[in-house]
């Protein structure tokens, strides 16, 4: 298990402050160039009890203090907002779970067999019938 019992790549509910709304996110490693507090090398600084997440819908990174299992809390948290941005984030999670690329740093397990790797794995097209040579005139 990773930091706090959450795996890197796991879909979670997260919020930065107690008063914030729960948001669908992906637990991730600290990316280069993410927003937040940085040290002199440009790395995001995580304090005690903080997690780095990718926010679905908004497609950005941040650090949060509050994190909960996604599936265990879906019924409760998914009905908290009717904002377009929140609904778009839930749609991103659904697409992500189907294997679609929504910008998340860790590809979903369902994405295996899609994209460039899948294109490379496709069998070559069947050879065309040989053309008959043109008659000389």
């Amino acid at each position: 298990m990773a930091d706090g019992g959450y795996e890197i790549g796991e879909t979670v509910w997260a919020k930065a402050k107690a008063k914030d709304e729960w948001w669908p996110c992906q637990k991730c490693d600290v990316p280069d160039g993410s927003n937040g507090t940085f040290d002199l090398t440009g790395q995001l600084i995580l304090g005690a009890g903080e997690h780095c997440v990718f926010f679905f819908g908004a497609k950005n990174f941040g650090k949060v203090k509050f994190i909960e299992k996604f599936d265990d809390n879906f019924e409760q948290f998914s009905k908290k907002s009717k904002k377009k941005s929140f609904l778009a984030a839930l749609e991103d999670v659904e697409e992500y779970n189907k294997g679609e690329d929504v910008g998340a740093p860790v590809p979903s397990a369902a994405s295996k067999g899609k994209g460039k790797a899948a294109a490379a794995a496709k069998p070559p097209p069947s050879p065309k019938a040989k053309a008959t040579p043109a008659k000389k005139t």
Side-chain angles (χ1 to χ4, degrees):
M1 258 316 140
D3 178 29
Y6 297 92
E7 296 285 337
I8 298 299
E10 183 176 352
T11 302
V12 296
W13 292 101
K15 59 183 181 175
K17 299 175 187 166
K19 65 180 181 174
D20 292 339
E21 292 180 3
W22 289 101
W23 198 266
C25 296
Q26 181 185 79
K27 173 88 170 90
C28 60
D29 285 324
V30 177
D32 291 333
S34 61
N35 60 8
T37 305
F38 296 92
D39 65 14
L40 295 175
T41 65
Q43 292 295 309
L44 182 68
I45 300 170
L46 294 178
E50 291 182 323
H51 305 268
C52 183
V53 296
F54 169 81
F55 292 95
F56 285 106
K59 296 180 177 24
N60 61 12
F61 296 89
K63 59 183 179 178
V64 297
K65 289 189 176 191
F66 301 92
I67 191 168
E68 294 288 340
K69 297 284 185 183
F70 188 81
D71 290 338
D72 294 349
N73 296 287
F74 183 80
E75 287 299 317
Q76 178 185 358
F77 295 158
S78 66
K79 295 176 176 37
K80 294 281 185 179
S81 178
K82 298 292 183 201
K83 292 179 184 175
K84 286 183 182 180
S85 57
F86 182 79
L87 298 175
L90 290 176
E91 189 174 305
D92 271 4
V93 172
E94 186 176 330
E95 290 177 15
Y96 172 80
N97 288 336
K98 291 178 183 175
E100 300 299 320
D101 180 9
V102 296
V106 180
S108 74
S111 69
K112 292 182 179 166
K114 291 194 173 190
K116 291 179 185 175
K122 287 183 183 176
S126 60
K128 294 182 180 178
K130 291 183 180 179
T132 55
K135 293 183 181 181
K136 293 182 183 179
T137 52

